[in-house]
Structures are given as structure tokens and as C-alpha cells.
């Protein structure tokens, strides 16, 4: 394996590696500052999933219904510093992506040289998926950061001797454990390490029994509390993650889903880098010209892409589900672009991604730009929630003033519940305010809100019901003895779109039995509006 020097002397000297590292620091630092400035300048509100993660951060735990705990821990840390405003909820996302870019420089620099490290950091930093992820708080940012540390440790393990090898091994295991605490897609990295060992003698030589034990020890110690939490909660997070795969879909072998997923990766990773990654893997693999660093990085980038592509073929897959591939993929694309001296393709690809990054920041700061270019639909879920919740609060206050209040405010959609918890925190958090509850549609809870705050008979004595778009209103009405005082509120999102919520009073909660097979309530007879 060809390894470039990664010593402090090389970094601080006037060597090419040192200059590449300084350029990388300037580039990543400038991008991170711009992204942080956009976070504090944007009028865009929290996406409801972000509001849910904020709600989790109010009660720290080692796990939650649908995600491991890292995202809640990060939000707790940043909001402890600056408060609960949207920018502080999202603060760690651009910082973690910036940190990942610097680590990716180190990975590519060790394998292909310092300039490859600069290119890899640029590809990653300007990747459309990373550009979008830097503007919101999701699990991808911590996952990719800790995966980058895991791969860096794995690359560094090759040229270490005892006792330093042992420290690298346990640190690598801990980093992988932290990646698992961020998102269970980290399992791809564990499989990649095993795959590389199976097909490469060089990979097997980097390990010794003590290093294997220490790696596993670091991994297990970090992951153990989350495993214990899952065991105490019927493995709810694991079950939810598995259910997203939708293996029970009625229509299998979906060529359209497969084609759409592969096509989406050109948008997630960037058209030129993904074309290089896909074309290079096929061409060099067929020609048997893969070098040792190529094989290592392919073992980390190919499995997520292939497995999620297969999942798209037999069921469905979201575009970001293969995001774990692009830490190693950035380094691999950079190494190949420089090896092939494809300077024009490199500059052109980065220019396209840079223009997209600039446009996205402009839309964050001034959403009217997205409206003017016909892209407002992409921002509809981060608009209008404050007004939506204010309409709910106004109705609740009216009931309190005129009719003695309500026993609860119950939603039929987790997005509205999460938004109400965040944007209504000052009102619903005060003593005497009606508690927030979730009307449970199916026989079993389908999300955290339905698990922790289900509507029951005491809270359903006289509830204010909030139905998003009125979709479940007939089903809700048949779960109560009496309903009255319907109010339909609309919140304008842009020139063409609005959000509707149906507000009404429901008394005497007596839910009908759910179907034992489907878990659904009886189909109601639809009444005319």
C-alpha cells in the first residue's frame, strides 16, 4: 500500500502535503463559516423530524423509538450553549461535516498523497447531499463524521507497531460504536472490514489478536448502553429501522425503483464524482487494475450502494440510504481523478457542485429565491409551522376562556405533534396548559409520540382535535361519542401552497376496536363537508 506521510513535520513543512493541508483547512473553514452564517440568518423553520429530535433532547436517554441517541445528545449540547432557537438546534450539523471533510483529507492523503486529500475534502464538502445535510439536523452528519474516523483508524492501522497499534485499534472500535449510536447504517462499515479481510491478504496482516480484541472491546463498550436500552424497550429502534426496508411490499422486483435510486446518486454525490466512482469501479475491476488503496476504499463504498440498490429493486429505497458509501467514495474518486489526470472533469464537477452549494445557501437566507425559481415545494416542510401551532394555541385559549378549557390537545399526525411541542413550548410547557396527545390510528404505536403520549379516556374527556388536512377526521369522529365546533384553518406556505388543519372538539373518547389483521379501525362512512 502506498502511504503518504501523515506526520506533523510533513504537515507543518513546506512540502506538497503541508500546502495541501493548509489549503484544505482554509477551504473547509470558509465553507463552515458560510454555513453557520446561513443557519443564523435563515427564516426557515425546523423540519418536524428536527422538532422531534429536539423533543428527545429534553429527556436524554440511550435510545429512542426510531433512532439511536446521538442526535438528541448533540442537540442537548448545542442548545445548552445558545438556547432553543432553530440555529442552535442545527449547529452541530455543519461542524460535523466540516470535521468529516478534514478527516477525509487525511484518509485520501495517506493513500494517494496530499493533493488527493485536498480534492477529496472538496468533493465531500460540495457533495449535494452534504450541502443539504449541513442546513438541517439529521442523523447523517454524526454518522459520516464517526465513519470517517473509523476508516481513518483502519487506514492508519496498517503501518502502526505496538503499543500504538493497540491505541489505534481501540479508538477505531470506539469511533465505530459512536457511528452506530448515530445511525444503524454504520453496520456497513463493520461488514466492510470483514469483507476486506476476506479478499485481501494485506488487510489480514494489519491485524493481530490483541488489536482485534481491543477493537471489539472499544466497539462493544460504546454500543452496550444502547443495546441495553433496546433490550428494555422490545428493540423498538431496531424494529423501526428494519420496518423502513418494507420487505413485505406487495410489488417486488421494481426496475423503476432501481433506476431511480441509481439516478438519484448522481444528485446526492454529484454527477462527476459518482460517474467516476461507478465507471472506475467497473472498468478497473474488469481490467484487474485495482491497486491496494482502491480495493480498501471500494470495500467501504461499494457494499452500501449495492445493498441499497438491491433493496430498491425488491422494495424501495430513499436516496440518502447509501450515504455511508461516500466517505470512502470521496477519497476514491479523488484518487482516480488525479491518477487519470482528469483535471477538466475535476474542475467542471466541483464547479457544478459549488454553484449548487451557493444556490442552496442563497435559498436558505432568502426563500423567495426558491419561490422565484419554482423550487418552493422543496422547502414546504420547513415553513409555516409556527403559524400552524399558533392557530392551535389560539383555539385552545378560546376554549379556556369561553368553555372552561379542554382535557388535551390531540393530533392525528406526528409532524403536527412535534411542531406543537417545539413551537408551542412556551404555551404548552406552562402549568395548567392542556397536555399534547396523539390519537393512535392503528392497533400498535407507529412512532414515538404515539408510544409516549397516546390519547386515552381521561385525556379524551373533552379534547381539542387537530387533524392535518382533515385526512383522518372521519376515523377520529367515530372514536368519540360526540364532536362539535369544526374550524378549518389554513396557513399560507407560498403563492401556490397552504397547509390545512381541522380543529374541532371531541367528547367521550371510546375508540372502536382495530382490525386484528390489518390493525386499522373500521372504515367510516364519509360525510359530506
Amino acid at each position: 500500500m502506498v502511504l503518504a506521510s501523515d506526520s506533523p513535520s510533513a504537515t507543518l513543512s513546506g512540502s506538497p502535503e503541508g500546502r495541501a493541508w493548509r489549503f484544505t483547512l482554509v477551504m473547509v473553514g470558509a465553507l463552515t463559516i458560510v454555513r453557520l452564517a446561513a443557519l443564523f440568518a435563515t427564516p426557515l423553520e425546523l423540519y418536524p423530524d428536527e422538532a422531534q429530535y429536539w423533543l428527545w433532547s429534553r429527556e436524554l436517554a440511550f435510545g429512542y423509538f426510531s433512532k439511536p441517541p446521538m442526535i438528541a445528545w448533540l442537540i442537548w449540547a448545542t442548545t445548552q450553549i445558545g438556547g432553543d432557537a432553530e440555529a442552535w438546534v442545527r449547529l452541530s450539523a455543519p461542524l460535523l461535516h466540516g470535521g468529516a471533510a478534514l478527516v477525509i483529507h487525511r484518509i485520501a492523503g495517506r493513500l494517494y498523497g496530499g493533493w488527493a486529500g485536498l480534492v477529496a475534502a472538496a468533493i465531500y464538502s460540495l457533495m449535494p447531499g452534504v450541502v443539504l445535510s449541513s442546513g438541517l439536523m439529521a442523523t447523517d452528519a454524526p454518522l459520516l463524521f464517526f465513519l470517517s474516523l473509523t476508516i481513518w483508524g483502519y487506514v492508519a492501522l496498517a503501518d502502526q507497531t505496538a503499543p500504538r497499534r493497540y491505541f489505534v485499534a481501540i479508538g477505531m472500535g470506539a469511533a465505530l460504536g459512536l457511528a452506530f449510536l448515530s445511525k444503524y447504517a454504520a453496520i456497513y462499515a463493520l461488514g466492510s472490514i470483514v469483507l476486506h479481510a476476506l479478499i485481501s491478504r494485506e488487510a489480514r496482516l494489519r491485524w493481530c489478536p490483541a488489536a482485534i480484541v481491543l477493537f471489539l472491546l472499544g466497539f462493544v463498550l460504546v454500543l452496550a448502553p444502547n443495546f441495553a436500552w433496546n433490550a428494555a424497550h422490545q428493540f423498538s429502534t431496531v424494529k423501526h429501522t428494519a420496518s423502513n426496508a418494507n420487505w413485505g411490499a406487495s410489488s417486488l422486483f421494481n426496475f423503476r425503483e432501481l433506476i431511480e435510486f441509481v439516478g438519484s446518486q448522481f444528485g446526492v454525490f454529484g454527477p462527476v464524482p459518482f460517474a467516476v466512482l461507478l465507471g472506475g469501479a467497473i472498468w478497473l475491476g474488469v481490467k484487474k487494475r485495482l491497486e491496494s488503496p482502491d480495493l480498501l476504499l471500494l470495500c467501504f463504498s461499494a457494499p452500501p450502494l449495492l445493498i441499497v440498490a438491491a433493496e430498491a429493486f425488491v422494495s424501495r429505497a430513499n436516496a440518502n440510504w447509501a450515504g455511508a458509501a461516500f466517505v470512502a467514495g470521496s477519497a476514491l474518486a479523488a484518487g482516480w481523478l488525479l491518477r487519470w489526470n482528469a483535471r477538466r472533469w475535476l474542475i467542471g464537477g466541483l464547479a457544478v457542485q459549488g454553484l449548487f452549494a451557493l444556490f442552496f445557501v442563497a435559498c436558505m437566507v432568502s426563500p423567495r429565491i426558491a419561490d422565484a425559481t419554482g423550487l418552493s415545494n422543496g422547502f414546504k416542510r420547513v415553513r409555516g409551522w409556527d403559524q400552524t401551532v399558533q392557530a392551535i394555541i389560539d383555539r385552545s385559549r378560546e376554549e379556556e376562556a369561553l368553555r372552561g378549557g379542554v382535557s388535551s390537545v390531540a393530533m392525528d399526525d406526528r409532524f403536527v405533534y412535534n411542531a406543537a411541542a417545539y413551537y408551542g413550548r412556551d404555551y404548552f410547557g406552562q402549568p395548567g396548559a392542556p397536555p399534547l396527545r396523539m390519537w393512535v390510528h392503528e392497533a400498535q404505536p407507529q412512532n414515538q409520540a404515539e408510544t409516549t403520549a397516546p390519547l386515552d379516556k381521561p385525556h379524551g374527556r373533552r379534547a381539542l382535535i387537530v387533524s392535518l388536512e382533515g385526512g383522518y377526521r372521519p376515523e377520529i369522529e367515530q372514536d368519540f361519542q360526540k364532536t362539535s365546533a369544526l374550524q378549518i384553518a389554513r396557513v399560507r406556505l407560498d403563492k401556490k401552497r397552504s397547509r390545512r388543519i381541522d380543529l374541532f372538539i371531541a367528547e367521550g373518547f371510546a375508540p372502536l376496536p382495530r382490525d386484528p389483521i390489518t390493525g386499522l379501525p373500521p372504515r367510516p362512512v364519509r360525510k359530506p363537508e
Side-chain angles (χ1 to χ4, degrees), residues 383-399:
R383 287 172 142 178
W385 291 112
D386 195 4
Q387 290 178 273
T388 302
V389 174
Q390 190 56 53
I392 298 170
I393 293 174
D394 290 344
R395 178 62 186 272
S396 177
R397 284 174 169 161
E398 178 185 325
E399 293 295 327

Side-chain angles (χ1 to χ4, degrees), residues 337-521:
L337 282 165
L338 292 185
R339 184 186 302 169
W340 300 336
N341 199 27
R343 183 174 299 177
R344 291 182 180 178
W345 286 103
L346 171 60
I347 294 173
L350 290 178
V352 169
Q353 293 177 211
L355 288 174
F356 172 77
L358 182 63
F359 175 75
F360 180 72
V361 168
C363 288
M364 282 188 65
V365 175
S366 179
R368 291 182 179 179
I369 296 174
D371 297 343
T373 53
L375 298 175
S376 58
N377 188 53
F379 293 89
K380 67 181 180 181
R381 288 187 174 178
V382 287
R383 287 172 142 178
W385 291 112
D386 195 4
Q387 290 178 273
T388 302
V389 174
Q390 190 56 53
I392 298 170
I393 293 174
D394 290 344
R395 178 62 186 272
S396 177
R397 284 174 169 161
E398 178 185 325
E399 293 295 327
E400 175 68 27
L402 300 179
R403 301 171 189 90
V406 293
S407 55
S408 67
V409 176
M411 286 76 173
D412 67 353
D413 186 275
R414 69 182 182 89
F415 276 14
V416 182
Y417 178 91
N418 296 331
Y422 179 77
Y423 286 105
R425 59 190 182 274
D426 291 337
Y427 172 74
F428 290 111
Q430 65 186 359
L436 294 176
R437 286 293 182 269
M438 275 291 293
W439 171 76
V440 181
H441 178 229
E442 300 185 25
Q444 299 297 326
Q446 301 298 307
N447 54 63
Q448 177 115 4
E450 291 183 359
T451 302
T452 59
L455 182 64
D456 53 22
K457 288 188 177 182
H459 290 101
R461 178 179 51 80
R462 187 178 188 274
L464 171 60
I465 304 297
V466 184
S467 178
L468 180 63
E469 304 297 334
Y472 285 126
R473 202 179 86 207
E475 288 89 342
I476 297 173
E477 288 175 340
Q478 67 181 4
D479 273 350
F480 285 85
Q481 296 174 3
K482 177 184 177 182
T483 61
S484 61
L486 173 65
Q487 171 192 355
I488 296 177
R490 295 185 183 274
V491 174
R492 180 65 60 183
L493 303 180
D494 55 50
K495 292 182 179 180
K496 297 181 179 180
R497 297 172 181 83
S498 63
R499 179 181 298 122
R500 165 184 164 177
I501 54 170
D502 291 9
L503 303 163
F504 59 96
I505 297 298
E507 299 177 68
F509 183 55
L512 296 179
R514 276 29 180 175
D515 187 280
I517 298 176
T518 66
L520 300 177

Side-chain angles (χ1 to χ4, degrees), residues 232-252:
H233 293 80
Q234 295 76 49
F235 290 94
S236 60
T237 314
V238 177
K239 290 178 181 177
H240 177 83
T241 304
S243 69
N244 280 338
N246 195 31
W247 292 106
S250 58
S251 175
L252 298 179

Side-chain angles (χ1 to χ4, degrees), residues 42-253:
T42 183
L44 296 175
E45 299 170 357
L46 290 188
Y47 181 69
D49 279 345
E50 294 178 283
Q52 175 179 252
Y53 303 147
W54 170 86
L55 186 58
W56 292 353
S57 75
R58 302 306 90 186
E59 296 183 14
L60 294 181
F62 284 110
Y64 299 92
F65 180 87
S66 60
K67 295 288 188 296
M70 181 61 69
I71 191 166
W73 296 353
L74 291 169
I75 292 173
W76 178 86
T78 55
T79 55
Q80 288 295 306
I81 297 171
D84 293 319
E86 291 92 338
W88 290 98
V89 172
R90 294 168 168 157
L91 184 68
S92 61
L95 297 178
L96 289 168
H97 280 305
L102 296 179
V103 177
I104 288 169
H105 170 101
R106 291 312 216 193
I107 294 169
R110 274 185 170 268
L111 297 175
Y112 299 111
W115 294 114
L118 172 61
V119 172
I123 289 173
Y124 178 84
S125 297
L126 297 175
M127 187 191 308
V130 169
V131 170
L132 296 174
S133 180
S134 296
L136 54 87
M137 193 59 196
T139 53
D140 288 334
L143 168 71
L144 297 179
F145 174 70
F146 291 117
L147 275 184
S148 69
L149 290 177
T150 303
I151 298 172
W152 185 23
Y154 185 72
V155 170
L157 197 65
D159 60 346
Q160 305 297 329
T161 58
R164 185 177 175 85
R165 171 182 289 189
Y166 304 146
F167 287 109
V168 172
I170 196 169
M172 178 185 157
L176 182 58
L178 292 170
F180 264 88
L181 293 183
S182 303
K183 193 174 184 178
Y184 290 153
I187 195 171
Y188 292 123
L190 193 59
S192 297
I193 294 170
V194 175
L195 175 63
H196 193 219
L198 290 174
I199 65 177
S200 170
R201 180 176 180 274
E202 183 182 283
R204 294 190 292 273
L205 291 176
R206 72 181 60 220
W207 293 100
C208 65
I212 294 173
V213 170
L214 289 171
F215 165 72
L216 293 175
L217 178 64
F219 174 67
V220 170
L221 286 177
V222 171
L223 190 59
N226 179 246
F227 182 87
W229 183 92
N230 265 286
H233 293 80
Q234 295 76 49
F235 290 94
S236 60
T237 314
V238 177
K239 290 178 181 177
H240 177 83
T241 304
S243 69
N244 280 338
N246 195 31
W247 292 106
S250 58
S251 175
L252 298 179
F253 308 115

